[in-house]
Amino acid sequence: MDNAEMKRGIVIKDDWPGYSLELFTYPEHYHEDIESVYIPHGVIMDRVERLARYVMDDFEDNFMVLCVLKGGYKFCSDLVEFIKVLGRNSNKYLETRVEFIRLKSYLNDQSTEELHIIGSRDLSFLRGKSVLIVEAIVDTGKTMKALLQHVETFEPKMVKVAGLLVKRLPNMAENLTDYVGFEIPNHFVVGYALDYNEYFRDLNHICVISETGKMKYKV
Ligand code: HPA
Ligand code: MG
């Protein structure tokens, strides 16, 4: 596997229909709201474990994780957990601090123009640190680009981005993501803390939302 391929993560093809819902368990109240299990929870965990190894290899001291809420909370907590396990089972322990930033740029399934940083905009604790931004999904890249610019103003020593999912778009922005879990087609996905108007964060698999689901939870 060459480096370019590695940077794309697990590539999910356009014609992947997902697994039938009946093959897995999921909260019954979402029965009509999701089409299929797109990435089962177990596969997510296995991939996050591998990403933890990449991070472990690349970072040394002054490591700081910046978790992008709310969607990134599951990915971040599982990633950090795997980093800790790796540290206990090898002779390199990466001392890990986690900070949080809350962003909002989506309404229904559409990206809005602005990036809203909710809560503290002051990230001066990042100065001189080796920062890993942990984000559940990199979509148009607009949010990530704006966040990277904002983070750079606080003069960290180094910044890398972990994105569990990266959407494959026709005019994909330059590659902003250093560690990619899965490259997926341009579907709106939910679960594993990813939401549609705050619903579906409690679904453990990553699933494709159905038209019924989109209508039911539209605002
Ligand atoms: N699902 C949930 N949130 C998102 C998505 C998505 O596909 N893209 C950007 N934010
Ligand atoms: Mg959201």
Side-chain angles (χ1 to χ4, degrees):
M1 184 181 267
D2 63 25
N3 212 23
E5 204 178 352
M6 202 173 92
K7 281 209 78 167
R8 291 176 68 188
I10 295 177
V11 176
I12 298 182
K13 300 264 167 61
D14 285 341
D15 61 359
W16 168 238
Y19 297 97
S20 164
L21 292 176
E22 280 58 49
L23 298 170
F24 293 92
T25 59
Y26 60 94
E28 183 53 36
H29 59 277
Y30 289 141
H31 181 76
E32 293 184 328
D33 311 332
I34 45 185
E35 291 285 349
S36 64
V37 173
Y38 206 60
I39 312 175
H41 183 252
V43 178
I44 300 169
M45 295 302 279
D46 290 337
R47 183 64 187 146
V48 174
E49 182 174 9
R50 185 67 183 93
L51 295 183
R53 272 272 289 282
Y54 294 136
V55 171
M56 196 73 170
D57 289 345
D58 291 353
F59 284 83
E60 299 283 339
D61 303 330
N62 279 316
F63 179 51
M64 174 83 79
V65 171
L66 185 64
C67 171
V68 181
L69 295 173
K70 295 179 186 176
Y73 96 90
K74 290 290 295 169
F75 177 36
C76 184
S77 95
D78 289 332
L79 184 66
V80 168
E81 222 34 62
F82 279 124
I83 290 169
K84 282 157 58 183
V85 172
L86 281 172
R88 292 199 297 272
N89 291 288
S90 70
N91 45 26
K92 179 180 173 184
Y93 191 87
L94 195 57
E95 196 181 333
T96 305
R97 291 174 59 185
V98 187
E99 292 286 346
F100 299 89
I101 186 169
R102 178 146 178 228
L103 305 180
K104 186 171 169 66
S105 63
Y106 264 71
L107 196 60
N108 296 319
D109 58 352
Q110 297 301 314
S111 170
T112 59
E113 271 308 304
E114 305 120 78
L115 168 72
H116 300 280
I117 299 181
I118 305 169
S120 173
R121 293 183 59 89
D122 179 18
L123 307 179
S124 49
F125 51 79
L126 297 181
R127 192 169 316 279
K129 297 288 194 298
S130 296
V131 180
L132 179 68
I133 297 177
V134 177
E135 167 69 286
I137 188 158
V138 180
D139 193 320
T140 60
K142 271 192 295 190
T143 305
M144 187 49 69
K145 208 180 254 177
L147 177 60
L148 277 167
Q149 277 169 8
H150 185 63
V151 164
E152 290 290 353
T153 63
F154 298 98
E155 299 178 345
K157 182 173 162 210
M158 144 175 144
V159 184
K160 292 203 182 240
V161 177
L164 181 64
L165 306 176
V166 171
K167 279 195 194 173
R168 186 166 54 247
L169 298 173
N171 49 350
M172 243 162 123
E174 75 269 39
N175 203 341
L176 301 168
T177 315
D178 300 283
Y179 310 101
V180 178
F182 303 84
E183 182 190 283
I184 63 168
N186 190 17
H187 299 310
F188 198 82
V189 291
V190 292
Y192 193 68
L194 281 166
D195 75 311
Y196 174 81
N197 296 331
E198 300 301 326
Y199 288 90
F200 301 104
R201 291 197 202 273
D202 57 339
L203 189 60
N204 59 344
H205 313 292
I206 290 174
C207 298
V208 175
I209 188 170
S210 67
E211 284 307 314
T212 313
K214 277 191 194 174
M215 291 309 293
K216 193 152 141 194
Y217 303 112
K218 207 178 185 76
V219 294

